[in-house]
Amino acid sequence: MAMALRCFRHLHSLLYSPLAVMRRLPQAPAGCPALLLEGCRQCVHQVLLTRQLATKKAKGKGQTQAKVSINAALVEDIINLEATNEDMQAVVEALKEDFNRNVSVRTSPGALDHIIVVTKDGKFPLNQLGQISLKSPQLIIVNMTNFPESTAAAMKAIRESGMNLNPEADGTLIRVPIPKVTREHRESLAKLAKQSTNKSKDSLRKVRSKSMNQVKKFKSKVSEDTIWLLEKQIQQMADNAAAEMDKLLAAKTKELLG
């Protein structure tokens, strides 16, 4: 009985400690059997999650709901929330890179580097097949001397890149005139930015769905409240990433169209 009371007091301090959800549960206190403490751990885990759920549900309709925040360590056996968030942020970073490389008013040699060229031997970035250089502010040169047989395929890839480029062949040299920045060109780039954002959101949804499916595998092993909280946390991370994408698109559209 004395040992049980000591464990209960220990449990009480965990439940009401503001640090309880920010660090792992402690080891067994002196005189507390490990088996009994494991029961305490499970109880604390459930109560903390349920308390968060109660806070969430306490917000009435039409009111701003509190954000769900789960200690990743408590649910690491179900899903790695940190890895999920990193995967979502990687999609956002890829969109930023795409905007910088392909959706710019000023066409630079670097913008052509990652144009994918389809050859009989496979798909390759343009910069692996040719040497790309800026001959003048109005002209980019792609030297295909090392892979002359891929010149026609490189021309096709540049023309279909969506960058409003019209390459011209001169033997193994490809001349790429840089188009004047017209209103039509700006609108074309804005449309390209929108398309890129939609593709990135598709990738984000795939990450979200994969994570949701992982959580659903544990429906028979953990409480409904735990599943509910995890799904809310994943959705919240996806919403944050999508909001970042919308901000990137709005800033790029303003840059292009004013």
Side-chain angles (χ1 to χ4, degrees), residues 68-70 75 78-85 88 204-216 226-242:
V68 175
S69 181
I70 301 174
V75 294
I78 302 174
I79 188 172
N80 188 330
L81 288 175
E82 292 181 357
T84 297
N85 191 54
M88 291 183 179
L204 179 63
R205 280 188 282 271
K206 289 179 181 178
V207 175
R208 173 190 168 281
S209 295
K210 180 181 177 182
S211 299
M212 290 291 195
N213 290 336
Q214 173 64 22
V215 170
K216 284 180 172 64
T226 302
I227 296 297
W228 186 90
L229 280 165
L230 284 170
E231 290 178 341
K232 284 293 181 182
Q233 179 78 67
I234 293 168
Q235 184 61 55
Q236 183 174 288
M237 291 190 292
D239 289 344
N240 290 341

Side-chain angles (χ1 to χ4, degrees), residues 95-96 99 103 189-198 201 241-258:
L95 180 62
K96 287 182 184 177
F99 278 3
V103 190
L189 289 175
K191 180 184 284 189
L192 181 61
K194 177 70 172 178
Q195 292 172 350
S196 296
T197 303
N198 288 338
K201 286 186 176 181
E244 286 186 61
M245 292 182 187
D246 288 337
K247 287 181 181 178
L248 288 172
L249 177 59
K252 179 57 69 173
T253 302
K254 184 177 180 180
E255 174 192 323
L256 294 170
L257 303 178

